[in-house]
Amino acid sequence: MDSEELRGMEVDELVDARGTACPGPLLAAKKSLGKIDSGQTMEILSSDEGTKRDVPKWAKKKGHEYLGTVEESGYFRIFIRKK
Amino acid sequence: MAKMTMGLFSGSLDRLTAAGVVLGGAAADDMDVDLFVLLQGARAFKKEIAEDPDQLRLSENDHLREEFLESLDRLNVSPWLEFFRQAKELTNVTVHICGLAGKIWGGEKLEDFVDIADDICGIGEYLTSAEEADIHLFI
């Protein structure tokens, strides 16, 4: 999905992990994934540069769909769909 | 599910923090973790020492200890023990304390160590665990 589509998406779960250090955003994503059902979407906000690569890799490894990342000023919005 | 065995020899603040971050990653990945707390590590895991950073040094550049602690605080990085607790909540982490190491630092019983310690073990169990693991780290 392109940035515009992602920005306009209504997600089922929003996880704000800004201000936490590695592996904080990854763990927050894992915890919140338990709150949504298969096929639902989740957006993770992170200000940690490493997370931008970590979360997509983790999601793919676990079989979830990585939808894309939007870069805002000072943080990232990472979108995934639960398998 | 992948299995990780970690031999934690170090009882220094920096290495304990690094080990904690690695455990956090393992927890995110749902790995089964066997953590073996060896010599200096066993001292850091003693109840009266674990939560008191004044009792622990850095493994390298200890003259920068204050800067290190201030940076962790500024970056919102948890104290090392919190990483271990969190990993244990999220995945299957078993904390084994080396019996000999415990005795060296005056810890004979499981109760002498932090509450996340599960048992006191011998070297045979560590090696068997490492032999069966997908990942083996020695820190």
Side-chain angles (χ1 to χ4, degrees):
Chain A
M1 293 171 82
D2 66 29
S3 297
E4 206 159 310
E5 284 175 306
L6 289 171
R7 281 197 173 97
M9 207 168 105
E10 282 200 22
V11 293
D12 297 294
E13 181 73 22
L14 176 69
V15 190
D16 191 348
R18 285 176 292 183
T20 69
C22 177
L26 192 58
L27 291 172
K30 177 189 157 61
K31 282 183 194 166
S32 294
L33 201 69
K35 296 182 195 166
I36 60 172
D37 297 324
S38 175
Q40 289 192 308
T41 53
M42 181 167 81
E43 173 180 355
I44 303 122
L45 308 184
S46 171
S47 50
D48 177 63
E49 185 77 28
T51 304
K52 190 174 66 170
R53 296 155 61 99
D54 255 15
V55 172
K57 277 193 180 159
W58 163 79
K60 284 179 201 162
K61 189 173 169 185
K62 294 289 163 193
H64 308 298
E65 189 186 352
Y66 166 60
L67 302 173
T69 299
V70 177
E71 200 163 339
E72 305 286 358
S73 163
Y75 67 99
F76 306 100
R77 302 168 62 182
I78 307 162
F79 297 80
I80 63 176
R81 187 188 303 281
K82 187 172 179 175
K83 75 168 169 188
Chain B
M1 201 177 297
K3 185 187 160 183
M4 180 166 92
T5 296
M6 185 188 285
L8 181 62
F9 165 86
S10 179
S12 60
L13 272 176
D14 48 357
R15 288 184 196 250
L16 286 166
T17 303
V21 174
V22 173
L23 279 182
D29 222 345
D30 305 305
M31 287 184 187
D32 279 331
V33 181
D34 250 344
L35 174 67
F36 291 86
V37 182
L38 311 176
L39 270 166
Q40 298 284 358
R43 177 178 171 272
F45 268 70
K46 284 194 74 189
K47 247 180 200 158
E48 68 275 19
I49 292 178
E51 309 217 26
D52 180 5
D54 288 345
Q55 302 267 2
L56 305 173
R57 306 260 80 87
L58 297 190
S59 63
E60 290 170 42
N61 294 314
D62 191 49
H63 61 288
L64 300 177
R65 192 168 165 283
E66 285 311 309
E67 186 182 328
F68 175 75
L69 289 171
E70 280 166 24
S71 290
L72 292 192
D73 201 40
R74 176 171 46 82
L75 296 168
N76 208 5
V77 178
S78 311
W80 68 270
L81 191 56
E82 285 310 304
F83 282 110
F84 288 71
R85 284 194 202 287
Q86 194 176 31
K88 213 171 150 94
E89 279 166 24
L90 291 169
T91 193
N92 184 21
V93 180
T94 312
V95 180
H96 314 272
I97 309 282
C98 163
L100 173 60
K103 279 184 192 162
I104 288 173
W105 306 112
E108 299 272 341
K109 300 184 296 290
L110 193 57
E111 302 82 67
D112 295 327
F113 300 94
V114 286
D115 56 355
I116 55 166
D118 291 292
D119 56 51
I120 306 253
C121 77
I123 194 66
E125 200 172 336
Y126 173 37
L127 294 176
T128 304
S129 170
E131 199 172 2
E132 292 166 353
D134 302 293
I135 303 170
H136 177 209
L137 301 178
F138 188 88
I139 296 177

